[in-house]
Amino acid sequence: MPPLADRPVSGAAIGPLFLGSDIYRGSSYGGLHPLRVPRVSTVIDLGRALGWLPPERYRISPRAKAPALHLWHRPDYIAALIEAERLAQAGLPAPAAWPQLYGLGTLSNPLFPEMFRRPATGAGGMLWAAEALAAAPAGVLHVPGGGTHHGMAGRANGFCYLNDVVLGLKALQRAGLRRLAYIDIDAHHSDGVEVAFASQPDVLMISVHEEARWPHTGAVQDDAGGNGFNLPVPRGFNDSEMALVRDQLILPRVAAHRPEAIVLQCGADALEEDPLSRLALSNRAHLAVVAALRPLAPRLIVTGGGGYNPWSVGRLWTAIWGLLSGQELPDVLPPQAQAVLRGLSWNGGSRPPPSEHLLTTLLDAPRDGPIRPEIRDRLARLAAR
């Protein structure tokens, strides 16, 4: 896949920049949780092995402090999250009421020693990216530690303790940008973002997600008060179907909206190898969405999101960074990059070992297939709005 074309602009454009942190290398939700696997650290290691992360392109993500998080989250919830981290570090349980009151200490959102600092780093990265972009005429930033789209104002939800996407979008608004577009191609519906921006016509929201999957929101008839376009897709959703969705829903709606900035959430759980969904995309489908959206706004933030197979996540988000930063994406990875992938594991459980192509390549083979009638029917319903 060729690199993105240079887009000269007047003034001082920012980026492409990659925001990362070592907190992702040393923290985990726990040995039984799907997020026990390495993800952002793999992207950093692969990027460095490929020579794609020179110092001038890499920024250490700042950690957001409590007052900055109050831009969306309730102060009592943030105080509870900070206290829960202190308790986890001391090996103590959270108060008995907190799972029900704040969603803290549940199977989805357990207590662990970095449970505030880790999501606060993703939130800090998004806030920094939003403020930097808003101050520039154009730019591109990749924040793979961002994309926690389920977090609610006053509670943890769906593996998400904070909603860094909402914080980033609100920071763009606070900085004076009015017309924004949020595109989400994670396997799960972006319920927290929809709650935050429903009925705000200046914020276009598009979510493509697997039907009949948690959080069981985002039906095709759900318009979020007019500014939301939800497309639930069936199991086995393939590259051909995603190309149709891209060309008939995502691109026309974004182009018509004429956003000043786009936030694109690229959850890797929509890939065929992911254990928590039943979709069948290749990573080329995500890359094609990134490339097609890039010319439609002067400012772009691309985040991570879901993704629970360490090999498919690392390859996708690294390839996205390669695309954004103008690299040639290799057909076969060099030995030092293959060594990064061969050093990964599931960190427990009984999952099968990865296929050889997940260890030696960056790009999947295309996963085309038939376009099913329900996809066409739902696209037609959305087009008629």
Side-chain angles (χ1 to χ4, degrees):
M1 180 176 292
L4 289 174
D6 292 332
R7 299 177 65 248
V9 295
S10 59
I14 185 170
L17 294 177
F18 181 107
L19 275 77
S21 171
D22 279 344
I23 196 166
Y24 301 106
R25 191 178 304 279
S27 62
S28 165
Y29 281 41
L32 299 179
H33 197 282
L35 280 175
R36 68 185 181 274
V37 301
R39 304 188 322 152
V40 178
S41 58
T42 303
V43 182
I44 295 171
D45 292 344
L46 270 177
R48 287 176 175 161
L50 290 163
W52 294 356
L53 280 177
E56 65 270 19
R57 294 293 184 201
Y58 184 85
R59 296 291 185 275
I60 297 174
S61 176
R63 183 185 306 156
K65 296 181 179 178
L69 300 173
H70 298 164
L71 185 62
W72 160 242
H73 291 286
R74 289 197 335 237
D76 64 307
Y77 170 66
I78 297 302
L81 182 59
I82 293 171
E83 175 62 9
E85 180 178 270
R86 188 192 70 78
L87 293 171
Q89 291 172 348
L92 300 173
W98 281 14
Q100 181 67 29
L101 183 62
Y102 294 123
L104 298 174
T106 65
L107 289 175
S108 292
N109 291 89
L111 272 62
F112 66 97
E114 300 84 15
M115 62 183 293
F116 172 74
R117 287 172 293 157
R118 174 168 164 155
T121 299
M126 286 296 289
L127 290 167
W128 189 95
E131 292 165 4
L133 277 183
V140 179
L141 289 103
H142 189 204
V143 190
T148 54
H149 56 178
H150 297 306
M152 296 297 177
R155 62 181 292 110
N157 185 44
F159 306 173
C160 303
Y161 296 87
L162 300 172
N163 198 315
D164 52 63
V165 171
V166 170
L167 290 165
L169 288 164
K170 285 187 170 289
L172 289 168
Q173 290 179 322
R174 182 176 60 182
L177 299 187
R178 190 170 66 89
R179 299 189 68 81
L180 306 175
Y182 174 67
I183 316 302
D184 193 306
I185 53 176
D186 191 286
H188 301 82
H189 176 240
S190 50
D191 53 342
V193 184
E194 184 170 300
V195 167
F197 295 102
S199 302
Q200 295 189 30
D202 285 341
V203 182
L204 170 69
M205 297 182 289
I206 300 174
S207 178
V208 182
H209 47 269
E210 185 178 351
E211 66 183 0
R213 183 161 297 283
W214 190 94
H216 304 291
T217 53
V220 70
Q221 65 269 21
D222 171 16
D223 68 358
N227 61 314
F229 292 83
N230 286 302
L231 180 63
V233 298
R235 289 186 172 203
F237 184 57
N238 61 54
D239 287 9
S240 302
E241 292 172 323
M242 176 56 100
L244 188 71
V245 170
R246 180 194 68 216
D247 294 342
Q248 293 194 5
L249 171 63
I250 296 173
L251 298 184
R253 290 292 175 180
V254 173
H257 191 66
R258 299 176 61 192
E260 297 168 88
I262 294 171
V263 176
L264 171 62
Q265 200 266 26
C266 279
D269 48 6
L271 302 183
E272 185 174 51
E273 296 86 359
D274 199 88
L276 265 62
S277 74
R278 295 295 179 268
L279 305 182
L281 295 178
S282 77
N283 59 19
R284 290 178 184 265
H286 280 58
L287 292 167
V289 173
V290 175
L293 284 172
R294 180 66 190 95
L296 298 187
R299 304 170 185 88
L300 174 65
I301 301 173
V302 181
T303 77
Y308 310 97
N309 178 314
W311 295 276
S312 58
V313 173
R315 292 165 73 250
L316 170 62
W317 294 351
T318 302
I320 287 172
W321 170 243
L323 181 62
L324 294 174
S325 58
Q327 311 296 332
E328 291 287 349
L329 306 188
D331 293 327
V332 178
L333 289 168
Q336 61 270 32
Q338 292 189 31
V340 172
L341 294 172
R342 293 187 187 279
L344 300 177
S345 77
W346 289 104
N347 285 347
S350 57
R351 300 285 181 190
S355 302
E356 186 67 11
H357 81 276
L358 292 177
L359 304 174
T360 59
T361 67
L362 195 62
L363 295 174
D364 298 328
R367 294 168 183 162
D368 295 319
I371 298 173
R372 287 166 286 180
E374 55 264 47
I375 298 286
R376 295 188 188 276
D377 291 346
R378 292 168 195 174
L379 286 172
R381 289 182 63 181
L382 294 174
R385 283 178 43 192

